[in-house]
Amino acid sequence: MEFYTLVFQTIWKEECLSIKINWLKLFSSRYNLDKLIYFEVYQYISNAIKREKNLKKWKRDWKINLIIEENSDWNDLSEDWFD
């Protein structure tokens, strides 16, 4: 299982749908990505970028524990955004 850490400056449902569709087309076949299992919200993009860089340095187990704390069932958090 692969983990990808990305920063999006703005996420609105309409934009996210487009991003998710295009993103999945690009990466899903290559990396088998199909779920948004964790995200964080920041007021300032500079803080989000710092956090992204920090998370990219984390060990895999640390990332898994972070996800489990917030989403223990590993549900797709964007699943109901488009209903």
Side-chain angles (χ1 to χ4, degrees), residues 5-69:
T5 306
L6 305 168
V7 169
F8 289 101
Q9 189 169 0
T10 305
I11 295 183
W12 292 327
K13 287 186 179 184
E14 296 81 14
E15 286 184 29
C16 193
L17 176 58
S18 175
I19 290 167
K20 185 174 181 178
I21 289 168
N22 291 327
W23 190 61
L24 288 176
K25 284 179 185 175
L26 287 171
F27 295 104
S28 184
S29 61
R30 186 170 178 194
Y31 299 110
N32 196 27
L33 301 177
D34 61 355
K35 292 182 180 180
L36 173 64
I37 56 170
Y38 181 82
F39 68 93
E40 297 177 3
V41 177
Y42 290 87
Q43 182 174 359
Y44 301 106
I45 189 68
S46 59
N47 293 342
I49 291 169
K50 286 177 190 173
R51 177 66 167 163
E52 176 193 24
K53 289 179 180 183
N54 186 356
L55 285 172
K56 286 184 175 184
K57 296 176 186 176
W58 281 26
K59 295 179 181 181
R60 182 181 181 85
D61 290 344
W62 299 354
K63 293 175 188 177
I64 290 171
N65 289 334
L66 180 66
I67 294 164
I68 290 170
E69 284 178 23

Side-chain angles (χ1 to χ4, degrees), residues 64-79:
I64 290 171
N65 289 334
L66 180 66
I67 294 164
I68 290 170
E69 284 178 23
E70 299 295 323
N71 185 6
S72 61
D73 293 330
W74 294 65
N75 296 320
D76 182 355
L77 301 176
S78 67
E79 187 172 61

